[in-house]
Amino acid sequence: MYEHDVIVVGAGGAGLRAAIAAHEAGADTAIVSKLHPVRSHTGAAEGGINAALREGDDWELHAYDTMKGSDYLADAPAAETLAQDAPEETIQLEHWGMPFSREDDGRVSQRPFGGLSFPRTTYAGAETGHHLLHVMYEQVVKRGIQVYDEWYVMNLVTDDAADPNDRECHGVVAYDVQSGNVEGFKANGGVILATGGPGQAFDHTTNAVSCTGDGHAMAYRAGAPLEDMEFIQFHPTSLPSTGVLISEGVRGEGGILYNAKGERFMFEYGYANNSGELASRDVVARAELTEVNEGRGVNDEYVHLDMRHLGEERILDRLENILHLAEDFEGVDGLVEPMPVKPGQHYAMGGIDVDENGQTCINGLYAAGESACVSVHGGNRLGGNALPELIVFGKRAGRHAAGDDLGTAEIETGYGPDVEDETETELPVQPGSAGLDTAGGVAADGSGVATETDGLIERAVEAERTRVDHLMDKDDGVQHAQIRAKLQKAMTDYVNVFRTDEGIRKALRVIRECREEYQDVYVDDPSRTFNTDLQQTYETRNLIDVAETIALGALVRNEFRGAHWRQENQERDDENWLKHTLISWEDGDPNIFYRPVILEGEKTYEPKVRSY
Amino acid sequence: MSTQQEQPQEPESQEAPEDPEMRGTESPQQERLKEKEQGLAQEEAVDESDLEGETVHLKVFRYDPEVEGKQEPRFDDFYVPFEKGMTVLDAVMYARDEFDSSLTFRHSCRQAVCGSDAFFVNGKQQLGCKTQISELKQPVRIEPLPHQEVVKDLVVDMDHFYDQMHAVEPYFQQEELPDGDLEEQRQSRENREKVKMSTRCIWCAACMSSCNIAAGDNEYLGPAAINKAYRFAMDEREDEEIKEHRLRIVEQEHGVWRCQTQFSCTEVCPKDIPLTEHIQELKREAVKKNLKFW
């Protein structure tokens, strides 16, 4: 058994920042990640980091833009913390040597981004995430922080207190991908989940193959609710054939969207009369699909993004990476022709229910980054707000887990006196695992009554070893790839940009089928060495749980807010829906409830019509 | 165990390495497109339309130390239906998901930024996700990176590569910072431009695998690590003292002087980093500083 004070799961931007902060606060810190840190998907972020650094800008404007962009579903203390801490954290990256793009006077450059009232997106070419990831990994190397890379975390170790609010997280169970050994990791201070997004629940996504919502699913099954999972951002400019992302920076620098008739539709059809291409991402994504649905799409599938008029020099200076992506993944030279783009799944605004210190309702369990929902982004995330979230809240989670006092959180977590139960919607099928053994031949989670920590961890390790043996000893059945493909297709068909009650119900039925099929899943690769078949089989189970929460949230929220559009009620309904959707696992019998959004922090954010 | 086999086709004889100072007059994009055109000519690329509805023949290296029948390395044939825009990564993923779930390789982002999927494709180190099937001769031969221990199938042990990367103190070291938490260090646009290409490294190890010197000298830092040192040594935000310290690291016995300017690393770099030039420049800097000469 390995033992540390703080164990960080995942080594992208949030995980690395959390580990550095915990280490600096004096904790013996280790990172456990299924990828080597530099392979993490933070590296694919292109656009930049919003931070109010310059004269004429201030954190209050940034917080205001974030609240408006969220369609008033972000919690004010979260948005304000982000806006207040982002400048210092961004300059910290510069002090660590990050190669930001520069102005003539040598200061870091900032550019306009969608939904921002000030050009506050700090960037390093169109590869900001790559640099952020590498700079932070460098700092991890410098500090000698222990990294268990290519270790796949299979489960969390918690005690089995009946109420999740009384539970405590003691560590994780993971296996060394290279050798197949399953081992326990004891965390004396806390476990921080920084496992990224669940984009692989969809089949057209800008997310990496590794973005399988592992942290979401593990926290959910351990008893921490998932929050606002229905809010999925579809990025307006992904390449049609692969889903590869074309940065919002292209539009920030002046790139223009055209339909098949050569019309600048954002203005000509009145989708965003003021901001045009730089309206919020959800607005642009719906506009593009409306153009396609009304017959004005190119090849009935996509629209064009044109940046030729910016000139070669400016493009090479600020957007060179975009030329490579368009050429390599779509065969288009952005200097001589417009680039085909369409909306692709990009980001999950929702995630593991945490407060502004990164803590879940389970003592000792934290989450940060895309896997968490503080909530900074509410119904829609602004471009350039993901990277500052990683560093601001990654750092807070790391410090808190290491024992630093960050004050009492204002945001509540878990099921408590302030929540309201969902009572109205009838579900088409039974969600969760009730009556099913989705654990792959192992009794439901949380068995045993051990209270002693080492015993708990050993038991959890044994449970995972048994699960692995079962999956590998089984000689036939269904393979995960088949189930995963079916799940992804249903989510893309029915829980996409435009959603209907009927469609979402269909998706829930398919998800149920996937669950049933998963009971018969087996791993064909007989080897313990680097068994990616086994790893993906675990991931697919996580995707089923996470996809189901996305569909459940989408079904119950019968309104149009931010990225969540419902055909039956195409208006924002502030009277009934200024509240977060929460879903808790309840030992396999999911429970849906709501918590009011906090619109009052240091400032008050009165919901206004969101026009751009 | 290494899989370095006789290459199925000899790469065209490279142009003689020009004076590095003379290179770089064209934009990286232009250079890259030109190289790509040359690459196309070399491979006698198949017209995509000829491949529509066809299957692609893959010959994939297989090895697993603990599975009977795979302990002796072998090549497996896979026939994958072609789709427009299909990459080598798409093809091996199809083969794995449809035919043999034990087919093992690293991959993640699918867009040439995570650096996981450098393979030896038709005798050249390339990223699977960035290499179009239509540009390759068939059968497409896919092997793990040569000169690295094979763990299983296309997965190689990366530890040695990481050790070399870590050996150059790959982190910014500047003790004196501007006063005030919100004050950044200044860096000229020219200097940022100078280090720009070197900061693009994605640690894929294609360069290390292509380097004959690294193959013969296990202690050689290798192109990626030296490039990492260059990235900091040339960054004006670090003091002269640190720069000298960095030059001492790279001019050691197994450092820059081992490079024989064969340009193989530069040739295979998926991020078009002028690795050989960077190594040459560090040699010149070391001479200027009068550092010990091996």
Side-chain angles (χ1 to χ4, degrees):
Chain A
M1 190 187 303
Y2 299 93
E3 185 173 342
H4 296 277
D5 295 336
V6 175
I7 288 173
V8 180
V9 183
L16 295 174
R17 190 67 190 84
I20 292 167
H23 176 83
E24 287 187 339
D28 164 24
T29 305
I31 297 169
V32 186
S33 174
K34 66 181 178 181
L35 300 173
H36 182 277
V38 302
R39 317 291 172 210
S40 307
H41 201 54
T42 298
E46 294 169 8
I49 309 169
N50 293 338
L53 292 173
R54 297 287 177 248
E55 204 137 311
D57 196 10
D58 60 44
W59 73 262
E60 293 170 15
L61 287 171
H62 185 186
Y64 173 83
D65 291 342
T66 301
M67 291 300 291
K68 178 185 172 189
S70 80
D71 224 354
Y72 304 94
L73 197 70
D75 286 320
E80 290 179 347
T81 302
L82 176 88
Q84 286 165 348
D85 292 1
E88 191 184 323
E89 287 307 307
T90 305
I91 294 301
Q92 174 69 78
L93 292 173
E94 200 284 328
H95 288 177
W96 284 340
M98 181 152 159
F100 283 109
S101 294
R102 300 281 168 166
E103 292 303 308
D104 287 337
D105 66 0
R107 304 181 83 190
V108 298
S109 298
Q110 296 198 302
R111 65 180 163 207
F113 242 50
L116 301 186
S117 56
F118 190 92
R120 73 170 70 87
T121 308
T122 325
Y123 63 97
E127 48 203 23
T128 313
H130 164 75
H131 295 305
L132 180 144
L133 179 69
H134 281 257
V135 161
M136 274 201 290
Y137 179 60
E138 290 161 15
Q139 293 299 312
V140 163
V141 172
K142 183 178 182 184
R143 287 163 176 75
I145 296 170
Q146 172 123 35
V147 180
Y148 299 87
D149 67 294
E150 294 186 336
W151 277 77
Y152 181 75
V153 175
M154 312 158 94
N155 211 352
L156 303 174
V157 182
T158 59
D159 58 52
D160 57 355
D163 182 348
N165 297 326
D166 298 332
R167 265 174 222 167
E168 185 151 359
C169 180
H170 298 284
V172 304
V173 180
Y175 81 93
D176 177 358
V177 176
Q178 191 138 335
S179 69
N181 289 338
V182 179
E183 302 287 349
F185 287 76
K186 184 175 172 182
N188 296 316
V191 171
I192 303 174
L193 297 171
T195 50
Q200 286 295 322
F202 294 82
D203 67 8
H204 186 82
T205 175
T206 65
N207 283 194
V209 175
S210 309
C211 299
T212 49
D214 298 335
H216 290 80
M218 289 189 291
Y220 179 49
R221 290 193 298 260
L226 298 183
E227 177 176 356
D228 291 338
M229 291 300 287
E230 62 272 30
F231 291 99
I232 296 288
Q233 179 164 83
F234 296 88
H235 195 290
T237 56
S238 71
L239 295 174
S241 53
T242 54
V244 165
L245 174 69
I246 296 299
S247 170
E248 184 163 317
V250 175
R251 283 170 291 138
E253 296 292 347
I256 295 174
L257 290 167
Y258 293 107
N259 63 19
K261 295 163 73 181
E263 295 166 317
R264 192 175 180 183
F265 57 88
M266 289 307 297
F267 288 105
E268 296 205 20
Y269 291 86
Y271 297 108
N273 287 325
N274 295 318
S275 305
E277 283 81 4
L278 279 180
S280 185
R281 287 180 177 171
D282 57 316
V283 174
V284 182
R286 279 191 299 273
E288 290 175 0
L289 277 191
T290 304
E291 288 300 298
V292 172
N293 291 343
E294 293 182 359
R296 296 187 296 273
V298 184
N299 291 333
D300 284 328
E301 193 196 353
Y302 51 83
V303 297
H304 276 142
L305 174 61
D306 197 346
M307 63 175 182
R308 291 173 293 179
H309 57 287
L310 302 178
E312 183 170 346
E313 194 185 334
R314 183 151 165 211
I315 292 172
L316 285 175
D317 184 35
R318 301 180 183 191
L319 298 164
E320 186 190 328
N321 185 43
I322 301 304
L323 291 177
H324 300 315
L325 294 174
E327 166 70 23
D328 294 335
F329 300 105
E330 204 65 44
V332 167
D333 185 345
L335 290 176
V336 300
E337 56 196 318
M339 300 173 284
V341 292
K342 74 175 196 183
Q345 192 283 343
H346 182 54
Y347 188 86
M349 272 70 76
I352 303 162
D353 175 33
V354 296
D355 62 28
E356 61 271 39
N357 297 333
Q359 219 181 354
T360 68
C361 67
I362 297 174
N363 197 21
L365 181 62
Y366 297 79
E370 190 177 343
S371 63
C373 179
V374 187
S375 156
V376 168
H377 311 300
N380 174 62
R381 176 175 71 77
L382 292 182
N385 260 358
L387 296 182
E389 182 191 13
L390 304 183
I391 51 181
V392 167
F393 292 99
K395 179 181 179 181
R396 292 180 73 90
R399 288 184 57 195
H400 199 274
D404 272 7
D405 183 4
L406 300 179
T408 310
E410 289 172 58
I411 295 168
E412 299 279 327
T413 54
Y415 190 91
D418 60 332
V419 308
E420 167 202 343
D421 286 307
E422 155 63 35
T423 50
E424 287 185 4
T425 313
E426 283 223 5
L427 303 179
V429 282
Q430 168 68 41
S433 69
L436 283 184
D437 169 22
T438 58
V442 179
D445 302 330
S447 58
V449 283
T451 47
E452 209 256 311
T453 306
D454 287 4
L456 271 179
I457 296 174
E458 276 160 27
R459 219 165 309 225
V461 168
E462 269 322 302
E464 295 308 321
R465 286 187 181 144
T466 310
R467 191 193 310 274
V468 171
D469 289 344
H470 164 81
L471 290 170
M472 292 189 54
D473 291 346
K474 194 165 148 55
D475 287 332
D476 55 15
V478 191
Q479 291 199 279
H480 78 86
Q482 206 180 320
I483 303 174
R484 188 185 287 207
K486 181 172 170 174
L487 182 81
Q488 291 172 330
K489 184 172 186 313
M491 292 299 284
T492 297
D493 285 352
Y494 303 123
V495 199
N496 213 300
V497 175
F498 293 116
R499 296 167 173 178
T500 67
D501 182 80
E502 194 196 342
I504 301 164
R505 285 173 190 277
K506 277 188 192 157
L508 280 165
R509 285 189 201 100
V510 176
I511 293 165
R512 181 71 187 180
E513 283 170 28
C514 290
R515 256 189 211 292
E516 285 166 3
E517 286 166 21
Y518 193 90
Q519 288 191 281
D520 195 28
V521 79
Y522 80 111
V523 173
D524 196 40
D525 185 349
S527 175
R528 299 274 166 168
T529 304
F530 222 100
N531 192 328
T532 51
D533 191 1
L534 174 65
Q535 183 182 325
Q536 291 189 303
T537 301
Y538 262 81
E539 291 169 344
T540 298
R541 172 183 178 221
N542 292 337
L543 284 171
I544 294 170
D545 286 340
V546 175
E548 187 172 74
T549 63
I550 297 170
L552 285 172
L555 181 71
V556 296
R557 186 177 287 273
N558 184 22
E559 66 155 350
F560 164 32
R561 182 182 301 273
H564 173 67
W565 182 95
R566 276 289 297 269
Q567 188 187 43
E568 297 80 11
N569 188 4
Q570 301 179 23
E571 291 196 4
R572 192 174 82 193
D573 179 358
D574 288 342
E575 201 171 309
N576 295 305
W577 286 102
L578 279 174
K579 59 190 182 188
H580 300 290
T581 317
L582 292 120
I583 307 178
S584 62
W585 178 245
E586 309 281 334
D587 293 326
D589 186 11
N591 181 31
I592 305 173
F593 57 96
Y594 304 103
R595 186 190 303 128
V597 64
I598 306 172
L599 295 177
E600 221 164 295
E602 291 183 37
K603 304 277 163 191
T604 301
Y605 305 88
E606 201 56 49
K608 293 187 186 129
V609 175
R610 199 168 61 110
S611 64
Y612 286 100
Chain B
M1 192 207 87
S2 166
T3 64
Q4 180 76 79
Q5 316 243 343
E6 210 173 298
Q7 298 189 357
Q9 68 241 347
E10 283 298 315
E12 297 269 294
S13 63
Q14 289 168 213
E15 286 172 40
E18 312 153 45
D19 178 354
E21 303 280 44
M22 298 298 287
R23 289 167 65 101
T25 46
E26 289 174 311
S27 75
Q29 168 80 352
Q30 287 166 328
E31 273 182 33
R32 204 175 50 82
L33 290 175
K34 209 202 273 173
E35 274 164 28
K36 195 159 181 178
E37 270 166 35
Q38 288 167 353
L40 274 175
Q42 276 174 26
E43 283 275 0
E44 294 165 39
V46 195
D47 186 348
E48 277 215 352
S49 52
D50 292 348
L51 280 168
E52 267 347 312
E54 297 288 312
T55 55
V56 181
H57 181 186
L58 310 177
K59 278 186 112 54
V60 184
F61 178 89
R62 306 300 302 273
Y63 165 76
D64 189 322
E66 59 168 300
V67 173
E68 218 177 305
K70 276 179 82 181
Q71 285 159 341
E72 278 305 310
R74 63 164 200 246
F75 280 86
D76 278 356
D77 296 287
F78 293 102
Y79 296 87
V80 169
F82 179 78
E83 274 188 50
K84 189 174 176 292
M86 181 175 248
T87 62
V88 168
L89 178 64
D90 293 333
V92 289
M93 283 173 75
Y94 187 96
R96 177 196 65 194
D97 291 347
E98 300 295 325
F99 305 135
D100 181 354
S101 64
S102 73
L103 177 57
T104 304
F105 45 92
R106 290 191 181 96
H107 66 304
S108 185
C109 75
R110 307 165 297 141
Q111 58 185 80
V113 73
C114 76
S116 304
D117 68 340
F119 306 137
F120 197 54
V121 183
N122 281 0
K124 189 185 170 195
Q125 288 82 358
Q126 322 197 41
L127 291 184
C129 62
K130 211 183 156 213
T131 306
Q132 292 286 324
I133 287 286
S134 60
E135 291 171 12
L136 299 168
K137 251 189 197 162
Q138 287 198 42
V140 178
R141 195 177 163 103
I142 307 168
E143 299 165 73
L145 288 181
H147 305 131
Q148 279 161 285
E149 289 291 311
V150 178
V151 175
K152 177 178 170 180
D153 294 349
L154 302 176
V155 174
V156 294
D157 188 335
M158 295 287 286
D159 284 350
H160 177 62
F161 177 81
Y162 295 143
D163 286 346
Q164 301 308 77
M165 294 302 278
H166 293 169
V168 298
E169 300 185 10
Y171 36 79
F172 194 69
Q173 300 184 52
Q174 175 62 19
E175 298 307 323
E176 239 173 79
L177 292 166
D179 290 337
D181 286 342
L182 293 181
E183 197 58 41
E184 69 256 59
Q185 306 163 86
R186 303 296 173 102
Q187 182 183 26
S188 68
R189 290 169 67 99
E190 293 71 31
N191 186 249
R192 198 256 171 189
E193 197 58 30
K194 176 155 187 71
V195 298
K196 183 173 89 177
M197 293 308 286
S198 67
T199 63
R200 292 205 171 145
C201 176
I202 56 173
W203 297 43
C204 70
C207 56
M208 184 80 132
S209 165
S210 76
C211 175
N212 283 330
I213 313 300
D217 174 6
N218 209 37
E219 287 177 64
Y220 176 44
L221 288 170
I226 295 176
N227 174 71
K228 191 77 175 167
Y230 175 97
R231 177 257 167 280
F232 291 109
M234 295 301 161
D235 193 316
E236 66 186 12
R237 292 174 294 174
E238 278 192 350
D239 283 345
E240 274 300 305
E241 216 172 288
I242 296 290
K243 180 173 177 175
E244 211 155 293
H245 172 66
R246 292 196 181 282
L247 288 172
R248 281 183 202 288
I249 294 174
V250 296
E251 70 82 53
Q252 45 123 329
E253 186 179 357
H254 301 280
V256 288
W257 301 107
R258 290 278 153 154
C259 171
Q260 296 177 2
T261 56
Q262 294 173 345
F263 282 89
S264 54
C265 54
T266 304
E267 186 99 336
V268 300
C269 177
K271 294 310 218 185
D272 306 317
I273 302 170
L275 295 158
T276 314
E277 282 176 42
H278 289 171
I279 298 171
Q280 292 299 92
E281 202 176 332
L282 286 172
K283 286 180 186 172
R284 286 198 297 275
E285 289 291 309
V287 170
K288 268 198 263 175
K289 299 265 180 222
N290 247 338
L291 294 177
K292 191 172 60 175
F293 217 92
W294 286 90

